[in-house]
Amino acid sequence: MLDPAVRPGDDVILSVKDLAVHFPLGGGLLGGHRLLRAVDGIDLELKRGECLGLVGESGCGKSTVALSLLGLLTPTRGRIVLDGHVVTERRSVDRKRLARIAQMVFQDPYASLNPRQTVRRTLEDPLRLHGVTAQSEIDGRVAEMLRHVGLRPEQAGRYPHEFSGGQRQRIGIARALILNPKIVICDEPVSALDVSIRAQIINLLLELKESLGLSYIMISHDLGVVEHMSDRVAVMYLGRIVETGGWREIFERPAHPYTQTLISAIPDPLRRAPLATARGELPNPLDPPDGCAFSPRCRYAEAVCRREPGPSLETRPDGHAVRCWRADEIAGQLPS
């Protein structure tokens, strides 16, 4: 359920404290039980009108965070405050109220739309579910939203297969916005699209953010997208936040070796020297390494890194926070 309003700060629309989502798994033929720590104690804040980029490799827990914020997963522990309302750990979450605060744009526009429903039906259903009954009002809101996303109202009678991939994602965006939410979680919204279409969707999201006063969480493994859209960035690795800060600080002076690795993957034809790279693969989340989870892949790792999980993620006066024993030493060492 949503508890009575709590105000963590007028400029903060989302506050997440010590969020953890653990999944107990059976032991299979060998017996026993194991625990998958998909998200393992993270703190986040989203300010009104801001875009927060949440980045990391596949499997790091980004989408689990998103589903928890929407009330679709029950956290193991932690506290989520959405627009002044506490989302409790109980199973009786008021999803109708949550839906009027936060919505999601999904990754795959081909799979996220019902092929048997017209666009009009896709956009009408949420309105009817939330008490809008006058057909004239429904028709007006559907037409207005289609215009917002760059489609024509007369296209509302068509089915998803009659649209291109980029147009389908515009329909997905319209569906997310039809209830006038304040927060939109974009889960890899352009990764399934052709490269030629991605910039159009990114620019559309930015235009809607400004015109409708939205706050975004942009989930992506592609730092190129995040750099273009985000005001602040939070970097996840194996269920934990390892670095946060303003986008310029993150991209120009990354202080965690994993962030440096992600930045090195951004295509840059002007780069004169290779940037930091990580060794090996992402560890098995069922059997994470001792100490810092990134230490087996880190070129800076020392004995303390393999022994201790890393310092607490404390935000500095400049808004930058890093979970790394050698952050001050290695920050800004990327070759130009």
Side-chain angles (χ1 to χ4, degrees):
M1 61 179 294
L2 295 185
D3 288 340
V6 175
R7 294 294 175 189
D10 289 341
D11 64 331
V12 176
I13 194 168
L14 168 66
S15 175
V16 178
K17 298 293 184 184
D18 194 31
L19 178 67
V21 183
H22 299 167
F23 299 104
L25 303 177
L29 295 176
L30 299 179
H33 295 277
R34 309 174 79 183
L35 192 66
L36 174 61
R37 301 176 184 271
V39 178
D40 199 22
I42 70 167
D43 297 343
L44 287 175
E45 276 193 351
L46 177 67
K47 297 181 180 179
R48 298 181 189 276
E50 178 183 55
C51 179
L52 172 66
L54 185 60
V55 302
E57 291 170 280
S58 297
C60 73
K62 306 184 301 295
S63 294
T64 302
V65 171
L67 294 175
S68 300
L69 299 181
L70 294 172
L72 301 176
L73 278 177
T74 302
T76 304
R77 68 171 189 271
R79 190 169 189 258
I80 301 170
V81 182
L82 275 171
D83 194 30
H85 296 275
V86 178
V87 181
T88 70
E89 298 177 9
R90 305 172 191 171
R91 295 188 179 275
S92 56
V93 174
D94 185 350
R95 291 198 178 95
K96 287 185 70 174
R97 180 177 288 183
L98 267 178
R100 295 192 293 271
I101 300 173
Q103 284 284 333
M104 180 180 283
V105 175
F106 295 93
Q107 176 178 1
D108 188 351
Y110 299 92
S112 63
L113 298 175
N114 188 334
R116 297 184 178 183
Q117 286 189 349
T118 63
V119 172
R120 178 179 291 106
R121 177 71 182 274
T122 296
L123 299 183
E124 282 183 351
D125 281 355
L127 294 172
R128 295 187 188 279
L129 181 64
H130 287 263
V132 181
T133 57
Q135 189 61 48
S136 59
E137 181 180 356
I138 291 173
D139 291 343
R141 289 177 68 171
V142 168
E144 179 186 26
M145 190 51 61
L146 288 175
R147 293 190 189 97
H148 270 309
V149 299
L151 296 174
R152 301 189 307 276
E154 55 266 30
Q155 293 175 295
R158 299 182 183 179
Y159 289 86
H161 72 270
E162 300 179 74
F163 295 90
S164 67
Q167 289 175 320
R168 292 186 203 186
Q169 193 60 295
R170 291 173 186 267
I171 296 167
I173 294 169
R175 178 180 58 187
L177 298 180
I178 196 69
L179 293 176
N180 298 321
K182 299 178 181 180
I183 300 172
V184 178
I185 301 173
C186 302
D187 190 1
E188 304 274 9
V190 299
S191 63
L193 301 177
D194 292 341
V195 174
S196 60
I197 304 299
R198 292 180 184 181
Q200 296 178 21
I201 298 301
I202 290 172
N203 289 334
L204 172 63
L205 288 169
L206 289 172
E207 291 168 5
L208 291 170
K209 175 177 173 290
E210 294 302 318
S211 62
L212 301 179
L214 300 170
S215 304
Y216 284 164
I217 295 180
M218 173 60 63
I219 296 175
S220 181
H221 66 276
D222 185 344
L223 260 71
V225 172
V226 171
E227 181 181 19
H228 189 72
M229 288 197 64
S230 300
D231 301 295
R232 288 188 303 116
V233 179
V235 182
M236 281 192 75
Y237 185 77
L238 217 63
R240 292 186 172 183
I241 301 293
V242 297
E243 185 167 10
T244 65
W247 74 267
R248 187 177 298 278
E249 182 74 12
I250 294 294
F251 282 89
E252 295 184 358
R253 191 175 170 80
H256 195 283
Y258 179 60
T259 309
Q260 295 179 359
T261 298
L262 291 178
I263 292 175
S264 73
I266 301 175
D268 183 357
L270 301 179
R271 187 175 291 145
R272 295 187 295 275
L275 301 186
T277 57
R279 299 170 294 188
E281 302 293 332
L282 188 72
N284 183 351
L286 287 171
D287 187 23
D290 295 332
C292 171
F294 190 63
S295 62
R297 308 174 67 190
C298 180
R299 61 174 180 161
Y300 301 109
E302 295 180 337
V304 65
C305 306
R306 300 181 180 91
R307 186 176 64 248
E308 303 291 340
S312 60
L313 198 67
E314 295 183 358
T315 303
R316 304 170 182 175
D318 63 358
H320 199 180
V322 189
R323 191 189 300 273
C324 177
W325 293 113
R326 303 185 62 187
D328 291 335
E329 177 185 350
I330 69 176
Q333 288 191 7
L334 295 180
S336 58

Short mmCIF file of all heavy atoms in Angstrom, two decimals, residues 136-189:
data_model
loop_
_atom_site.label_atom_id
_atom_site.label_comp_id
_atom_site.label_asym_id
_atom_site.label_seq_id
_atom_site.Cartn_x
_atom_site.Cartn_y
_atom_site.Cartn_z
N SER A 136 -16.14 11.30 -24.88
CA SER A 136 -15.57 12.49 -25.49
C SER A 136 -14.23 12.85 -24.84
O SER A 136 -13.28 13.24 -25.53
CB SER A 136 -16.54 13.67 -25.36
OG SER A 136 -16.83 13.93 -24.00
N GLU A 137 -14.16 12.69 -23.52
CA GLU A 137 -12.90 12.97 -22.83
C GLU A 137 -11.84 11.94 -23.21
O GLU A 137 -10.67 12.29 -23.44
CB GLU A 137 -13.10 12.97 -21.32
CG GLU A 137 -11.82 13.29 -20.54
CD GLU A 137 -12.01 13.30 -19.04
OE1 GLU A 137 -13.17 13.14 -18.59
OE2 GLU A 137 -11.01 13.46 -18.31
N ILE A 138 -12.24 10.68 -23.28
CA ILE A 138 -11.29 9.63 -23.67
C ILE A 138 -10.75 9.88 -25.07
O ILE A 138 -9.54 9.84 -25.31
CB ILE A 138 -11.97 8.25 -23.59
CG1 ILE A 138 -12.25 7.88 -22.13
CG2 ILE A 138 -11.11 7.18 -24.25
CD1 ILE A 138 -13.07 6.62 -21.98
N ASP A 139 -11.65 10.19 -26.01
CA ASP A 139 -11.21 10.44 -27.39
C ASP A 139 -10.26 11.63 -27.45
O ASP A 139 -9.26 11.60 -28.17
CB ASP A 139 -12.43 10.70 -28.28
CG ASP A 139 -13.28 9.45 -28.49
OD1 ASP A 139 -12.77 8.34 -28.23
OD2 ASP A 139 -14.45 9.60 -28.90
N GLY A 140 -10.58 12.68 -26.70
CA GLY A 140 -9.72 13.86 -26.70
C GLY A 140 -8.33 13.58 -26.15
O GLY A 140 -7.33 14.04 -26.71
N ARG A 141 -8.27 12.81 -25.05
CA ARG A 141 -6.97 12.52 -24.44
C ARG A 141 -6.14 11.59 -25.31
O ARG A 141 -4.92 11.72 -25.40
CB ARG A 141 -7.18 11.95 -23.04
CG ARG A 141 -7.68 13.03 -22.07
CD ARG A 141 -7.98 12.50 -20.70
NE ARG A 141 -6.78 12.07 -19.98
CZ ARG A 141 -6.77 11.74 -18.69
NH1 ARG A 141 -7.91 11.80 -17.98
NH2 ARG A 141 -5.66 11.36 -18.11
N VAL A 142 -6.79 10.62 -25.96
CA VAL A 142 -6.06 9.72 -26.86
C VAL A 142 -5.48 10.50 -28.03
O VAL A 142 -4.31 10.35 -28.40
CB VAL A 142 -6.98 8.58 -27.36
CG1 VAL A 142 -6.33 7.83 -28.51
CG2 VAL A 142 -7.31 7.63 -26.21
N ALA A 143 -6.30 11.37 -28.64
CA ALA A 143 -5.82 12.17 -29.78
C ALA A 143 -4.68 13.09 -29.36
O ALA A 143 -3.68 13.23 -30.07
CB ALA A 143 -6.99 12.98 -30.35
N GLU A 144 -4.83 13.73 -28.21
CA GLU A 144 -3.79 14.63 -27.73
C GLU A 144 -2.48 13.90 -27.48
O GLU A 144 -1.40 14.38 -27.85
CB GLU A 144 -4.25 15.31 -26.44
CG GLU A 144 -3.21 16.25 -25.84
CD GLU A 144 -3.64 16.79 -24.50
OE1 GLU A 144 -4.45 16.13 -23.80
OE2 GLU A 144 -3.17 17.88 -24.12
N MET A 145 -2.55 12.70 -26.89
CA MET A 145 -1.34 11.97 -26.59
C MET A 145 -0.65 11.47 -27.86
O MET A 145 0.58 11.47 -27.95
CB MET A 145 -1.65 10.80 -25.65
CG MET A 145 -0.41 10.13 -25.08
SD MET A 145 0.76 11.30 -24.33
CE MET A 145 -0.26 12.01 -23.02
N LEU A 146 -1.43 11.05 -28.84
CA LEU A 146 -0.82 10.63 -30.10
C LEU A 146 -0.08 11.79 -30.76
O LEU A 146 1.01 11.62 -31.31
CB LEU A 146 -1.89 10.06 -31.03
CG LEU A 146 -2.45 8.69 -30.64
CD1 LEU A 146 -3.59 8.28 -31.56
CD2 LEU A 146 -1.35 7.62 -30.68
N ARG A 147 -0.67 12.98 -30.69
CA ARG A 147 0.04 14.14 -31.24
C ARG A 147 1.33 14.41 -30.47
O ARG A 147 2.35 14.78 -31.07
CB ARG A 147 -0.86 15.38 -31.21
CG ARG A 147 -2.08 15.31 -32.13
CD ARG A 147 -2.77 16.66 -32.21
NE ARG A 147 -4.05 16.58 -32.90
CZ ARG A 147 -5.22 16.47 -32.30
NH1 ARG A 147 -5.29 16.44 -30.96
NH2 ARG A 147 -6.34 16.39 -32.99
N HIS A 148 1.28 14.26 -29.16
CA HIS A 148 2.47 14.50 -28.33
C HIS A 148 3.65 13.63 -28.79
O HIS A 148 4.79 14.07 -28.74
CB HIS A 148 2.17 14.20 -26.86
CG HIS A 148 1.65 15.38 -26.09
ND1 HIS A 148 2.28 16.61 -26.08
CD2 HIS A 148 0.57 15.50 -25.28
CE1 HIS A 148 1.60 17.44 -25.31
NE2 HIS A 148 0.56 16.80 -24.81
N VAL A 149 3.36 12.39 -29.19
CA VAL A 149 4.45 11.47 -29.53
C VAL A 149 4.73 11.43 -31.03
O VAL A 149 5.49 10.58 -31.51
CB VAL A 149 4.16 10.05 -29.01
CG1 VAL A 149 4.03 10.05 -27.50
CG2 VAL A 149 2.94 9.43 -29.68
N GLY A 150 4.12 12.34 -31.79
CA GLY A 150 4.44 12.44 -33.21
C GLY A 150 3.64 11.52 -34.11
O GLY A 150 4.06 11.23 -35.24
N LEU A 151 2.47 11.04 -33.65
CA LEU A 151 1.59 10.23 -34.48
C LEU A 151 0.29 10.98 -34.74
O LEU A 151 -0.02 11.94 -34.04
CB LEU A 151 1.29 8.89 -33.79
CG LEU A 151 2.50 7.97 -33.58
CD1 LEU A 151 2.09 6.76 -32.76
CD2 LEU A 151 3.11 7.53 -34.89
N ARG A 152 -0.47 10.54 -35.73
CA ARG A 152 -1.72 11.22 -36.09
C ARG A 152 -2.89 10.55 -35.38
O ARG A 152 -2.95 9.32 -35.28
CB ARG A 152 -1.94 11.18 -37.61
CG ARG A 152 -0.82 11.83 -38.41
CD ARG A 152 -1.21 11.96 -39.89
NE ARG A 152 -1.66 10.68 -40.45
CZ ARG A 152 -0.84 9.74 -40.93
NH1 ARG A 152 0.48 9.93 -40.89
NH2 ARG A 152 -1.34 8.63 -41.43
N PRO A 153 -3.85 11.32 -34.90
CA PRO A 153 -5.01 10.72 -34.23
C PRO A 153 -5.74 9.70 -35.08
O PRO A 153 -6.28 8.72 -34.55
CB PRO A 153 -5.89 11.94 -33.92
CG PRO A 153 -4.94 13.08 -33.82
CD PRO A 153 -3.87 12.79 -34.83
N GLU A 154 -5.76 9.89 -36.40
CA GLU A 154 -6.48 8.94 -37.26
C GLU A 154 -5.79 7.57 -37.33
O GLU A 154 -6.36 6.60 -37.86
CB GLU A 154 -6.67 9.51 -38.67
CG GLU A 154 -5.40 9.95 -39.35
CD GLU A 154 -5.11 11.44 -39.14
OE1 GLU A 154 -5.52 11.98 -38.10
OE2 GLU A 154 -4.48 12.02 -40.04
N GLN A 155 -4.56 7.49 -36.82
CA GLN A 155 -3.87 6.19 -36.79
C GLN A 155 -4.31 5.33 -35.60
O GLN A 155 -3.86 4.19 -35.46
CB GLN A 155 -2.35 6.41 -36.72
CG GLN A 155 -1.76 7.01 -37.99
CD GLN A 155 -0.27 7.31 -37.84
OE1 GLN A 155 0.13 8.14 -37.04
NE2 GLN A 155 0.54 6.61 -38.63
N ALA A 156 -5.18 5.85 -34.75
CA ALA A 156 -5.58 5.13 -33.54
C ALA A 156 -6.31 3.83 -33.84
O ALA A 156 -6.32 2.92 -33.01
CB ALA A 156 -6.46 6.03 -32.66
N GLY A 157 -6.92 3.70 -35.01
CA GLY A 157 -7.66 2.49 -35.34
C GLY A 157 -6.80 1.37 -35.87
O GLY A 157 -7.29 0.27 -36.16
N ARG A 158 -5.50 1.58 -35.99
CA ARG A 158 -4.61 0.56 -36.54
C ARG A 158 -4.09 -0.37 -35.44
O ARG A 158 -4.15 -0.06 -34.26
CB ARG A 158 -3.43 1.22 -37.26
CG ARG A 158 -3.83 2.09 -38.45
CD ARG A 158 -2.60 2.65 -39.13
NE ARG A 158 -2.94 3.55 -40.22
CZ ARG A 158 -2.03 4.19 -40.97
NH1 ARG A 158 -0.74 4.03 -40.72
NH2 ARG A 158 -2.42 5.00 -41.93
N TYR A 159 -3.53 -1.50 -35.90
CA TYR A 159 -2.95 -2.49 -34.99
C TYR A 159 -1.42 -2.37 -35.00
O TYR A 159 -0.83 -1.81 -35.94
CB TYR A 159 -3.36 -3.90 -35.43
CG TYR A 159 -4.82 -4.20 -35.18
CD1 TYR A 159 -5.79 -3.85 -36.12
CD2 TYR A 159 -5.23 -4.82 -34.00
CE1 TYR A 159 -7.14 -4.12 -35.90
CE2 TYR A 159 -6.57 -5.09 -33.76
CZ TYR A 159 -7.52 -4.74 -34.72
OH TYR A 159 -8.84 -5.00 -34.47
N PRO A 160 -0.75 -2.88 -33.95
CA PRO A 160 0.70 -2.71 -33.85
C PRO A 160 1.49 -3.17 -35.07
O PRO A 160 2.49 -2.55 -35.43
CB PRO A 160 1.06 -3.54 -32.61
CG PRO A 160 -0.16 -3.47 -31.75
CD PRO A 160 -1.31 -3.49 -32.73
N HIS A 161 1.04 -4.26 -35.73
CA HIS A 161 1.83 -4.77 -36.87
C HIS A 161 1.83 -3.80 -38.06
O HIS A 161 2.63 -3.97 -38.99
CB HIS A 161 1.29 -6.14 -37.32
CG HIS A 161 -0.03 -6.08 -38.02
ND1 HIS A 161 -1.23 -6.17 -37.35
CD2 HIS A 161 -0.34 -5.93 -39.34
CE1 HIS A 161 -2.23 -6.09 -38.23
NE2 HIS A 161 -1.71 -5.93 -39.44
N GLU A 162 0.97 -2.80 -38.03
CA GLU A 162 0.90 -1.83 -39.12
C GLU A 162 1.87 -0.67 -38.93
O GLU A 162 1.90 0.25 -39.74
CB GLU A 162 -0.52 -1.29 -39.25
CG GLU A 162 -1.56 -2.37 -39.54
CD GLU A 162 -2.96 -1.81 -39.65
OE1 GLU A 162 -3.26 -1.16 -40.67
OE2 GLU A 162 -3.76 -2.02 -38.71
N PHE A 163 2.67 -0.72 -37.86
CA PHE A 163 3.61 0.36 -37.56
C PHE A 163 5.05 -0.15 -37.60
O PHE A 163 5.31 -1.34 -37.38
CB PHE A 163 3.32 0.94 -36.17
CG PHE A 163 1.99 1.62 -36.04
CD1 PHE A 163 0.87 0.91 -35.66
CD2 PHE A 163 1.88 2.97 -36.31
CE1 PHE A 163 -0.36 1.53 -35.53
CE2 PHE A 163 0.65 3.61 -36.20
CZ PHE A 163 -0.47 2.89 -35.81
N SER A 164 5.97 0.77 -37.82
CA SER A 164 7.39 0.44 -37.75
C SER A 164 7.83 0.33 -36.29
O SER A 164 7.07 0.67 -35.37
CB SER A 164 8.21 1.53 -38.45
OG SER A 164 8.11 2.75 -37.72
N GLY A 165 9.06 -0.13 -36.09
CA GLY A 165 9.56 -0.27 -34.73
C GLY A 165 9.60 1.05 -33.97
O GLY A 165 9.20 1.13 -32.81
N GLY A 166 10.04 2.10 -34.64
CA GLY A 166 10.08 3.41 -33.99
C GLY A 166 8.69 3.92 -33.65
O GLY A 166 8.47 4.52 -32.60
N GLN A 167 7.73 3.69 -34.56
CA GLN A 167 6.35 4.11 -34.29
C GLN A 167 5.75 3.32 -33.14
O GLN A 167 5.02 3.85 -32.31
CB GLN A 167 5.51 3.93 -35.55
CG GLN A 167 5.82 4.93 -36.66
CD GLN A 167 5.06 4.64 -37.92
OE1 GLN A 167 4.89 3.47 -38.32
NE2 GLN A 167 4.58 5.68 -38.59
N ARG A 168 6.08 2.04 -33.06
CA ARG A 168 5.58 1.23 -31.94
C ARG A 168 6.12 1.74 -30.61
O ARG A 168 5.40 1.75 -29.61
CB ARG A 168 5.97 -0.24 -32.13
CG ARG A 168 5.28 -0.92 -33.29
CD ARG A 168 5.60 -2.39 -33.32
NE ARG A 168 5.43 -2.95 -34.65
CZ ARG A 168 5.52 -4.23 -34.95
NH1 ARG A 168 5.81 -5.09 -34.00
NH2 ARG A 168 5.34 -4.65 -36.19
N GLN A 169 7.37 2.15 -30.61
CA GLN A 169 7.91 2.69 -29.36
C GLN A 169 7.24 4.00 -29.01
O GLN A 169 7.03 4.31 -27.83
CB GLN A 169 9.43 2.86 -29.45
CG GLN A 169 10.12 3.10 -28.11
CD GLN A 169 9.93 1.97 -27.12
OE1 GLN A 169 8.82 1.71 -26.67
NE2 GLN A 169 11.02 1.32 -26.76
N ARG A 170 6.86 4.79 -30.01
CA ARG A 170 6.09 6.01 -29.74
C ARG A 170 4.74 5.67 -29.11
O ARG A 170 4.26 6.37 -28.21
CB ARG A 170 5.89 6.81 -31.04
CG ARG A 170 7.18 7.43 -31.58
CD ARG A 170 6.95 8.06 -32.94
NE ARG A 170 8.21 8.53 -33.52
CZ ARG A 170 8.69 9.77 -33.39
NH1 ARG A 170 7.98 10.67 -32.72
NH2 ARG A 170 9.83 10.10 -33.94
N ILE A 171 4.12 4.58 -29.57
CA ILE A 171 2.86 4.14 -28.97
C ILE A 171 3.11 3.71 -27.52
O ILE A 171 2.31 4.02 -26.62
CB ILE A 171 2.26 2.98 -29.78
CG1 ILE A 171 1.90 3.46 -31.20
CG2 ILE A 171 1.02 2.41 -29.08
CD1 ILE A 171 1.58 2.33 -32.17
N GLY A 172 4.21 3.00 -27.27
CA GLY A 172 4.55 2.61 -25.91
C GLY A 172 4.76 3.81 -25.01
O GLY A 172 4.36 3.79 -23.83
N ILE A 173 5.37 4.84 -25.54
CA ILE A 173 5.56 6.07 -24.77
C ILE A 173 4.22 6.74 -24.49
O ILE A 173 3.95 7.21 -23.38
CB ILE A 173 6.51 7.02 -25.52
CG1 ILE A 173 7.91 6.41 -25.59
CG2 ILE A 173 6.56 8.39 -24.85
CD1 ILE A 173 8.86 7.14 -26.54
N ALA A 174 3.34 6.77 -25.51
CA ALA A 174 2.01 7.35 -25.31
C ALA A 174 1.24 6.59 -24.24
O ALA A 174 0.56 7.20 -23.40
CB ALA A 174 1.24 7.32 -26.63
N ARG A 175 1.33 5.27 -24.24
CA ARG A 175 0.65 4.48 -23.21
C ARG A 175 1.18 4.81 -21.82
O ARG A 175 0.42 4.91 -20.86
CB ARG A 175 0.83 2.99 -23.50
CG ARG A 175 0.20 2.08 -22.46
CD ARG A 175 0.40 0.62 -22.80
NE ARG A 175 1.81 0.29 -22.93
CZ ARG A 175 2.28 -0.88 -23.36
NH1 ARG A 175 1.43 -1.83 -23.72
NH2 ARG A 175 3.57 -1.11 -23.45
N ALA A 176 2.51 4.99 -21.71
CA ALA A 176 3.10 5.31 -20.41
C ALA A 176 2.64 6.68 -19.92
O ALA A 176 2.54 6.91 -18.71
CB ALA A 176 4.62 5.27 -20.51
N LEU A 177 2.36 7.60 -20.83
CA LEU A 177 2.04 8.98 -20.45
C LEU A 177 0.55 9.28 -20.36
O LEU A 177 0.18 10.36 -19.90
CB LEU A 177 2.69 9.95 -21.45
CG LEU A 177 4.21 9.93 -21.54
CD1 LEU A 177 4.70 10.95 -22.57
CD2 LEU A 177 4.85 10.20 -20.20
N ILE A 178 -0.31 8.34 -20.77
CA ILE A 178 -1.73 8.65 -20.89
C ILE A 178 -2.37 8.99 -19.55
O ILE A 178 -3.36 9.73 -19.49
CB ILE A 178 -2.48 7.46 -21.57
CG1 ILE A 178 -3.86 7.89 -22.05
CG2 ILE A 178 -2.56 6.27 -20.65
CD1 ILE A 178 -3.84 8.84 -23.22
N LEU A 179 -1.81 8.49 -18.43
CA LEU A 179 -2.36 8.80 -17.11
C LEU A 179 -1.70 10.01 -16.46
O LEU A 179 -1.91 10.28 -15.28
CB LEU A 179 -2.21 7.58 -16.19
CG LEU A 179 -3.03 6.35 -16.56
CD1 LEU A 179 -2.70 5.19 -15.61
CD2 LEU A 179 -4.52 6.65 -16.54
N ASN A 180 -0.87 10.72 -17.22
CA ASN A 180 -0.17 11.91 -16.72
C ASN A 180 0.70 11.60 -15.49
O ASN A 180 0.59 12.25 -14.45
CB ASN A 180 -1.16 13.03 -16.37
CG ASN A 180 -1.93 13.50 -17.58
OD1 ASN A 180 -1.38 13.61 -18.68
ND2 ASN A 180 -3.21 13.77 -17.40
N PRO A 181 1.58 10.61 -15.58
CA PRO A 181 2.46 10.31 -14.44
C PRO A 181 3.50 11.40 -14.26
O PRO A 181 3.73 12.23 -15.15
CB PRO A 181 3.12 8.99 -14.86
CG PRO A 181 3.20 9.09 -16.35
CD PRO A 181 1.92 9.78 -16.76
N LYS A 182 4.13 11.40 -13.09
CA LYS A 182 5.19 12.36 -12.81
C LYS A 182 6.57 11.77 -13.07
O LYS A 182 7.53 12.50 -13.34
CB LYS A 182 5.09 12.83 -11.37
CG LYS A 182 3.77 13.53 -11.05
CD LYS A 182 3.68 13.94 -9.60
CE LYS A 182 2.35 14.61 -9.30
NZ LYS A 182 2.23 15.02 -7.87
N ILE A 183 6.68 10.44 -12.96
CA ILE A 183 7.95 9.74 -13.15
C ILE A 183 7.79 8.73 -14.27
O ILE A 183 6.80 8.00 -14.31
CB ILE A 183 8.38 9.00 -11.86
CG1 ILE A 183 8.55 9.98 -10.70
CG2 ILE A 183 9.67 8.22 -12.09
CD1 ILE A 183 8.78 9.30 -9.36
N VAL A 184 8.74 8.68 -15.18
CA VAL A 184 8.76 7.67 -16.23
C VAL A 184 10.08 6.92 -16.14
O VAL A 184 11.16 7.52 -16.17
CB VAL A 184 8.59 8.28 -17.63
CG1 VAL A 184 8.68 7.19 -18.70
CG2 VAL A 184 7.26 9.03 -17.74
N ILE A 185 9.99 5.60 -16.01
CA ILE A 185 11.17 4.74 -15.99
C ILE A 185 11.34 4.19 -17.39
O ILE A 185 10.47 3.48 -17.91
CB ILE A 185 11.00 3.60 -14.97
CG1 ILE A 185 10.78 4.17 -13.57
CG2 ILE A 185 12.22 2.69 -14.98
CD1 ILE A 185 10.43 3.13 -12.53
N CYS A 186 12.45 4.52 -18.02
CA CYS A 186 12.74 4.07 -19.39
C CYS A 186 13.74 2.93 -19.32
O CYS A 186 14.92 3.14 -19.00
CB CYS A 186 13.31 5.22 -20.22
SG CYS A 186 12.26 6.68 -20.31
N ASP A 187 13.27 1.71 -19.59
CA ASP A 187 14.11 0.52 -19.47
C ASP A 187 14.67 0.16 -20.84
O ASP A 187 14.01 -0.49 -21.64
CB ASP A 187 13.30 -0.63 -18.89
CG ASP A 187 14.18 -1.83 -18.51
OD1 ASP A 187 15.41 -1.74 -18.68
OD2 ASP A 187 13.64 -2.84 -18.03
N GLU A 188 15.88 0.61 -21.12
CA GLU A 188 16.54 0.37 -22.41
C GLU A 188 15.60 0.73 -23.57
O GLU A 188 15.33 -0.09 -24.45
CB GLU A 188 16.97 -1.10 -22.53
CG GLU A 188 17.86 -1.60 -21.42
CD GLU A 188 19.34 -1.32 -21.67
OE1 GLU A 188 19.65 -0.58 -22.63
OE2 GLU A 188 20.17 -1.84 -20.91
N PRO A 189 15.09 1.95 -23.63
CA PRO A 189 14.00 2.27 -24.56
C PRO A 189 14.40 2.30 -26.03
O PRO A 189 13.51 2.32 -26.89
CB PRO A 189 13.54 3.65 -24.10
CG PRO A 189 14.76 4.26 -23.50
CD PRO A 189 15.47 3.13 -22.82
#
